[in-house]
Amino acid sequence: MKKLALITIILLLVQPEGHGWGFRAHQRINRIAVYTLPGEMFGFYKSHIDYLTEHAVDADKRRYGSKDEAARHYIDLDHFGVYPFEAVPRNWKKAVERLSEDTLQAYGIVPWQVERMYYQLVKAFKEKNTPAILRLSADIGHYIADAHVPLHTTENYNGQLTGQHGIHGLLESRLPELFDTEYDLVTGKAKPFDKPLDRIWTAVLSSAAAVDCVLYLERQTREAIPVDRHYVYEQKGSRTVKAYAVEYAGDYHKRLHGLIEIRMRDAIACVGAFWYTAWLDAGQPDLDQLEKTVLDETEKQKLAEEEKLYRKGVIQGREESY
Ligand SMILES: [Zn+2]
């Protein structure tokens, strides 16, 4: 019995943490984005708000089963030069021609992932395919949210190049977990745009513009707080996890002057804008007439399989925790 308890504890200790925004932030972003939608879309999205919330993190779970998945969540722009990264063509075909597809897969493809999913979502709306609309809405929400995280646009994504190992989880999981109840995430109504690719590149570039700042400010916190007060061991449900101390996180959060709140709010506005524009692009189908079915059988099986791999915790590609 004792041995079993010990094994359980060890298993619980090694359970994977979230990647990209923490799971909670991803879920909040998709959930609040529903409230930005116009009346013709709101009823349908509101009736599926729990699905969109719960499945906001499917894309991260897929990273445990597929080696191609990781690259869809980021783009290491600084590998290609300095802001505004003119060496990287914004258009996929041109980027492949200039930099090669292998290189792009190695350094990340988030803007093009969002663009590709946008057209899939338009198609799903045209076909009035409820399971596809919901799956794609949840997934595109995830990738758009990732594109709003500054550390998803740099090679130094976990501070590993500047002695700041662990900053990834601190910035996008720990800080929102501790402080997001204070955030004002109301963004107003979703604003449609002309070109999906331009819209997502705007988001990616504003993330990239904040990279130096988030790294610099964390170095200040690192220097201001004695090293023995950087971490604590916390109980999370039945797990014990190493986490940045509240004092440390609070100091850093203060120095960031609302940056996380702004990035989350921008992410919410952007997710709403993508859902809304895709629906407009599809000719504004009447969503109230759509089937209420959420998932078909094959999709259910696929998700169960991904969940299993995720539980095993074998991540493919980039690892961003401590
Ligand atoms: Zn992600």
Side-chain angles (χ1 to χ4, degrees), residues 142-158:
H142 180 97
Y143 296 114
I144 291 169
D146 275 354
H148 283 77
V149 180
L151 293 174
H152 277 242
T153 62
T154 171
E155 273 191 294
N156 192 16
Y157 57 88
N158 198 17

Side-chain angles (χ1 to χ4, degrees), residues 12-31:
L12 291 167
L13 277 172
V14 297
Q15 270 215 354
E17 286 289 292
H19 302 272
W21 284 107
F23 277 17
R24 175 189 156 109
H26 270 299
Q27 290 178 332
R28 288 196 82 195
I29 289 168
N30 268 11
R31 191 171 193 93

Side-chain angles (χ1 to χ4, degrees), residues 55 58-59 62 117 134-144:
H55 293 274
D58 286 358
R62 281 200 289 273
M117 297 211 87
L134 292 173
R135 177 173 50 79
L136 292 161
S137 294
D139 273 351
I140 201 172
H142 180 97
Y143 296 114
I144 291 169

Side-chain angles (χ1 to χ4, degrees), residues 85-152:
F85 312 103
E86 272 153 9
V88 184
R90 293 350 183 200
N91 171 283
W92 171 250
K93 274 196 183 138
K94 287 184 184 147
V96 169
E97 270 166 32
R98 190 185 297 177
L99 303 166
S100 96
E101 182 157 2
D102 283 354
T103 305
L104 294 173
Q105 292 294 347
Y107 294 98
I109 57 166
V110 68
W112 301 297
Q113 175 65 16
V114 170
E115 184 195 27
R116 190 167 55 185
M117 297 211 87
Y118 171 82
Y119 290 111
Q120 290 173 357
L121 181 57
V122 173
K123 186 165 169 272
F125 275 128
K126 280 187 183 158
E127 291 168 353
K128 303 191 172 149
N129 180 341
T130 304
I133 293 170
L134 292 173
R135 177 173 50 79
L136 292 161
S137 294
D139 273 351
I140 201 172
H142 180 97
Y143 296 114
I144 291 169
D146 275 354
H148 283 77
V149 180
L151 293 174
H152 277 242

Side-chain angles (χ1 to χ4, degrees), residues 19-21 26 56-57 59-61 63 69-70 72-74 142-143 145-146 152 172 320:
H19 302 272
W21 284 107
H26 270 299
V57 291
D60 273 344
K61 291 181 180 177
R63 296 178 53 181
E69 183 59 37
R72 298 174 184 159
H73 300 244
Y74 58 85
H142 180 97
Y143 296 114
D146 275 354
H152 277 242
E172 61 180 26
E320 285 147 359

Side-chain angles (χ1 to χ4, degrees), residues 159-191:
Q160 76 280 14
L161 305 177
T162 43
Q164 295 172 275
H165 209 79
I167 189 177
H168 198 98
L170 169 63
L171 191 83
E172 61 180 26
S173 298
R174 185 70 169 153
L175 295 187
E177 268 167 33
L178 284 171
F179 305 110
D180 74 356
T181 48
E182 300 160 16
Y183 293 173
D184 174 9
L185 297 174
V186 177
T187 67
K189 289 286 156 213
K191 290 186 191 69

Side-chain angles (χ1 to χ4, degrees), residues 221-275:
T221 295
R222 212 161 261 255
E223 280 162 25
I225 296 184
V227 70
D228 60 325
R229 302 209 312 250
H230 288 190
Y231 300 102
V232 289
Y233 287 89
E234 272 190 354
Q235 205 60 30
K236 258 195 180 176
S238 51
R239 297 188 286 153
T240 306
V241 293
K242 183 183 172 189
Y244 281 95
V246 173
E247 179 195 13
Y248 190 92
D251 182 276
Y252 183 34
H253 195 249
K254 214 179 277 166
R255 289 177 200 273
L256 285 164
H257 277 289
L259 184 125
I260 307 290
E261 181 179 3
I262 293 165
R263 294 315 285 157
M264 271 183 82
R265 198 161 52 218
D266 287 355
I268 290 163
C270 193
V271 172
F274 267 84
W275 291 345

